[in-house]
Amino acid sequence: MDFKDNIKQLADRVVKLRDSILTEEATKNAFIMPFINTLGYDVFNPLEVVPEMTCDIAMKKGEKIDYAIMKDGEPIILIECKHWAQDLNLHDNQLIRYFNVSKAKFGVLTNGVIYRFYTDLIEPNKMDEKPFLEVNITELRDSQIEELKKFHKSYFNVENVLSSASELKYMGELKSIIAKEFSSPSSEFVKYLSKQVYDGVITAKLLDQFTELTKKSISSYINELISDRLKSALKTETVEEAKNEEIDNKALEEDGNKIITTEEEIESYFIVKSILRQAVDVSRVVYRDAQTYFAILLDDNNRKPICRMYFNAISKKYIATFDENKKETKHEITSLNDIYNYSEYLINTISFYDNK
């Protein structure tokens, strides 16, 4: 599996197990050590990962960081861990102290669910108060996975990550400001916009009016933007489906003389129709035969396969079902009666198409 698959697998593990994790130590073992491992580091190799590394702070000796990821004998990433249910806002000062006495360029504060990444963008060798990247592993976006991948052992480069960190930090802060202005426009923001369309003096009464107009304008613009994107996506999908339909039909015409529809295939078609009678008007259920399989479709549309029968093999027969993503799964059957065992699959497939 690649990094994306591994991190998503870990996310599923966190969702499944977190309610049964009762201690900080269990959080480390179940969530954080696997996370470090997903980044390509061997948690059992002290040359790569040092647990409980000593970080002496001024007069306070013997202070320890939970994990230090090492390179060439020096720490490059410090990780401070908390129980998964703890609020990380109560614990960032501890990581700041460790970071400031270490040679590490990056610090991570985590409870195994949320990961906050820090560096020293504002003042050298002094950890920034705000993280440049924060991810909730149970709600990962593809862009965040790409940022996490930069910390993988195979790709890690300090300069590259620092360059990305600066951009992420300021983009994050700008997005936060924009979101705040969009939901509750400040008077300064409203005045700036209103002066673009109104030449007179902006009185208190006018400011209130323009505040409401600004809210409505923002909302309207976002809705139109979403609508346009959806229309564009649907148009693209429709064109693609039409193109694929044309290709499939042409292939069927070319292969038509080589296809023999058997009585067994026709019988399977009638069994499927009888199963689907409770879910759909069976006049919408049709079949198309091909050289390698016998297809049963909804609305005579090759983009809406209900199932396929593979009866051409000498020794084995299969029925293939489809999920909501049109992924095909073959099931071996010993007789046509076994088709009834897949009634739920067939009915669900109809539901996917009609609900869509």
Side-chain angles (χ1 to χ4, degrees), residues 198-302:
Y198 184 78
D199 294 329
V201 177
I202 305 296
T203 64
K205 184 178 180 180
L206 278 173
L207 184 62
D208 289 340
Q209 291 176 353
F210 272 112
T211 298
E212 289 304 311
L213 287 173
T214 300
K215 288 181 181 178
K216 289 179 181 179
S217 299
I218 290 170
S219 178
S220 176
Y221 173 73
I222 292 173
N223 289 335
E224 289 173 4
L225 189 63
I226 293 171
S227 179
D228 289 344
R229 291 276 180 90
L230 286 173
K231 286 177 182 177
S232 176
L234 287 171
K235 184 178 179 180
T236 302
E237 184 178 345
T238 301
V239 171
E240 189 65 28
E241 286 191 356
K243 188 185 296 181
N244 290 333
E245 184 79 8
E246 185 179 344
I247 292 170
D248 290 337
N249 288 336
K250 187 176 180 181
L252 283 171
E253 287 175 12
E254 292 174 352
D255 291 343
N257 295 329
K258 305 174 186 178
I259 297 168
I260 299 174
T261 303
T262 66
E263 291 184 10
E264 197 173 36
E265 288 171 334
I266 294 297
E267 188 176 347
S268 73
Y269 168 60
F270 285 120
I271 290 174
V272 171
K273 285 181 72 173
S274 70
I275 291 170
L276 297 177
R277 191 173 299 277
Q278 59 181 299
V280 71
D281 179 352
V282 291
S283 65
R284 297 174 61 194
V285 180
V286 302
Y287 73 81
R288 291 188 195 176
D289 204 355
Q291 277 191 282
T292 56
Y293 58 79
F294 179 81
I296 298 177
L297 314 171
L298 184 66
D299 299 329
D300 200 14
N301 186 340
N302 211 43

Side-chain angles (χ1 to χ4, degrees), residues 22-45:
L22 304 179
T23 65
E24 181 179 306
E25 200 62 32
T27 301
K28 293 180 188 177
N29 293 334
F31 300 158
I32 299 169
M33 288 176 66
F35 177 80
I36 296 172
N37 188 63
T38 300
L39 293 180
Y41 299 97
D42 183 354
V43 293
F44 301 110
N45 181 352

Side-chain angles (χ1 to χ4, degrees), residues 71-120:
K71 183 178 181 180
D72 300 328
E74 296 289 347
I76 54 174
I77 305 172
L78 302 180
I79 304 176
E80 177 65 14
C81 309
K82 300 300 170 187
H83 179 253
W84 73 267
Q86 285 192 316
D87 181 355
L88 293 181
N89 291 324
L90 305 176
H91 301 284
D92 52 357
N93 287 334
Q94 195 171 4
L95 180 61
I96 289 174
R97 295 199 305 271
Y98 297 152
F99 184 94
N100 293 347
V101 297
S102 164
K103 294 182 179 180
K105 203 66 179 174
F106 301 98
V108 181
L109 177 62
T110 180
N111 57 13
V113 178
I114 296 172
Y115 288 80
R116 292 178 177 174
F117 291 78
Y118 298 83
T119 188
D120 55 353

